[in-house]
Amino acid sequence: MDVNGIRYIGRFDYSHPEGPKCGWSASTVHFKFFGTYASARIRPSGRNYLTVLVDGIVTTPSLPVMEEGTYVLAEGLPQGPHEITLVKKTEFYLGVLQYLGFDLGQGYLLPLDPPVQRRIEFIGDSITCGFGNEADNENVEYDPFYDNAYLSYASIAARALNAEGFLISWSGFGLIRDFTGNESNTLPANYHRITLDSSQPWDFAQWIPQVVVINLGTNDFNSGRIPEKTPFVEAYKAFVRRIHENYPEAQILLTLGPLVDGESLEVSRQYIKDCVVDSLRGQGNDWIHFLEYAHQKAEDGYGVSWHPSLRTHALMGERLAQEIRSIMNWG
């Protein structure tokens, strides 16, 4: 949504007079201006990091935003037109960002380009968030600094397709239970949320994607704990129907991988592909599809706690973009 010359991409809560709030990974702010300097006044809660791009190039890979203040985004630029993009690297549960205003020094805002018409919603867990993907190896102790939603496979695929992407993903959460087995912590139960502190649910009419990509189940099958077939399959079908009701024209792509292996992989493939996707397609629903990513490889490295590395995310993003091009006939 464009507000006062600033474009907000993602689920933002616009009900606060001082400025909009966001929480989900990869929530993005973008503006164009004429000048040499730009800063943002931001009020955060929790631990947040931003990736800052100036004229389409990452200039600050990881800007910590831990307390209210003015954050310099660019200075000493050649006098002229420029673009600034801010991407929330870190996760929904870690913190909220409220944008209170922007200072352009002696400069001024320029009109925004028309928004792109392609839209993709990505629903998932830590994999979709880019959890720990910037760590050197699997033994690095977790810190939000290592999360990078800008380099998640989802964001990579969206950029490759010239599409706006919304990431609705939460580490540890699953379809019917979280990675510890807690049945209260599921993505479907939190799918309607804007931020942790928002009292109102998201209005799905605000932003309607042409494609919805779901990657759920890894936490349901954590440590080889295979869920019972009927509850898992019925919950997945119900979630898919709910999304289809919100976006009746959208193509929905259920994906699997790249972490699960062994029996968990075999069973989750059966549940998701055979019992959900093939079953619904057999009923004439040609809007649902399935994609299985290649299992991650040691030579591509690992992120924190064996999560996908930057290399694995790049490969996943490329594969996903290829699949969506095929489904949508997008050049």
Side-chain angles (χ1 to χ4, degrees):
M1 178 181 290
D2 295 353
V3 180
N4 297 326
I6 309 293
R7 178 162 295 154
Y8 299 94
I9 302 170
R11 290 189 183 177
F12 281 80
D13 183 349
Y14 300 100
S15 66
H16 305 277
E18 292 179 278
K21 291 183 175 184
C22 68
W24 294 105
S25 299
S27 297
T28 298
V29 176
H30 176 78
F31 60 90
K32 301 178 71 174
F33 72 103
F34 189 96
T36 65
Y37 168 91
S39 66
R41 183 79 180 173
I42 306 174
R43 176 182 296 155
S45 66
R47 296 193 65 191
N48 303 275
Y49 289 89
L50 288 169
T51 293
V52 182
L53 294 89
V54 179
D55 297 332
I57 303 209
V58 174
T59 54
T60 308
S62 196
L63 174 67
V65 184
M66 311 295 183
E67 58 186 27
E68 182 174 341
T70 297
Y71 293 85
V72 175
L73 309 176
E75 57 185 342
L77 297 174
Q79 180 84 349
H82 299 284
E83 299 183 28
I84 299 284
T85 304
L86 309 175
V87 183
K88 189 173 186 285
K89 286 184 61 181
T90 40
E91 286 202 49
F92 181 81
Y93 75 91
L94 288 170
V96 172
L97 294 173
Q98 184 175 21
Y99 288 93
L100 304 177
F102 299 89
D103 182 2
L104 304 178
Q106 300 301 311
Y108 52 88
L109 285 173
L110 294 173
L112 291 163
D113 294 332
V116 298
Q117 296 304 303
R118 297 176 180 179
R119 296 176 169 184
I120 308 171
E121 182 171 272
F122 301 90
I123 301 170
D125 49 35
S126 56
I127 300 169
T128 304
C129 294
F131 174 94
N133 58 356
E134 289 198 302
D136 289 335
N137 58 65
E138 66 275 15
N139 297 314
V140 172
E141 183 177 356
Y142 173 70
D143 187 277
F145 174 80
Y146 298 114
D147 295 346
N148 193 333
Y150 178 73
L151 294 178
S152 157
Y153 76 90
S155 296
I156 291 169
R159 287 194 295 274
L161 294 164
N162 191 31
E164 280 190 358
F166 277 30
L167 275 60
I168 311 301
S169 50
W170 196 324
S171 281
F173 280 26
L175 187 76
I176 62 173
R177 62 190 184 192
D178 69 8
F179 75 107
T180 69
N182 186 335
E183 296 180 358
S184 299
N185 294 334
T186 69
L187 203 288
N190 292 277
Y191 177 56
H192 64 285
R193 303 182 75 166
I194 306 176
T195 66
L196 277 174
D197 60 359
S198 294
S199 59
Q200 297 298 316
W202 174 250
D203 176 7
F204 288 94
Q206 275 196 45
W207 189 87
I208 299 176
Q210 295 100 342
V211 182
V212 178
V213 178
I214 308 175
N215 190 317
L216 287 173
T218 299
N219 291 302
D220 301 87
F221 284 80
N222 183 49
S223 301
R225 296 181 294 106
I226 295 176
E228 293 183 15
K229 177 179 178 180
T230 299
F232 184 90
V233 169
E234 291 307 310
Y236 216 146
K237 284 184 175 180
F239 191 40
V240 166
R241 291 189 187 102
R242 178 178 164 194
I243 293 165
H244 182 61
E245 288 175 2
N246 288 333
Y247 316 128
E249 302 300 320
Q251 300 294 306
I252 301 176
L253 176 60
L254 308 194
T255 67
L256 175 62
L259 267 68
V260 289
D261 57 11
E263 184 183 7
S264 291
L265 177 58
E266 294 177 9
V267 176
S268 57
R269 182 189 297 122
Q270 177 197 359
Y271 286 4
I272 297 169
K273 180 182 183 298
D274 299 348
C275 301
V276 179
V277 175
D278 290 351
S279 173
L280 289 173
R281 287 188 72 86
Q283 298 169 14
N285 301 302
D286 60 359
W287 42 263
I288 190 162
H289 311 268
F290 176 78
L291 170 65
E292 181 173 338
Y293 299 108
H295 195 272
Q296 59 185 0
K297 299 176 182 178
E299 55 262 38
D300 293 326
Y302 300 106
V304 173
S305 299
W306 305 95
H307 278 74
S309 65
L310 292 176
R311 172 61 178 161
T312 300
H313 274 281
L315 293 170
M316 292 173 65
E318 181 182 356
R319 178 68 186 91
L320 179 58
Q322 179 185 39
E323 188 71 15
I324 292 174
R325 282 193 190 97
S326 176
I327 291 170
M328 300 298 297
N329 293 316
W330 284 352

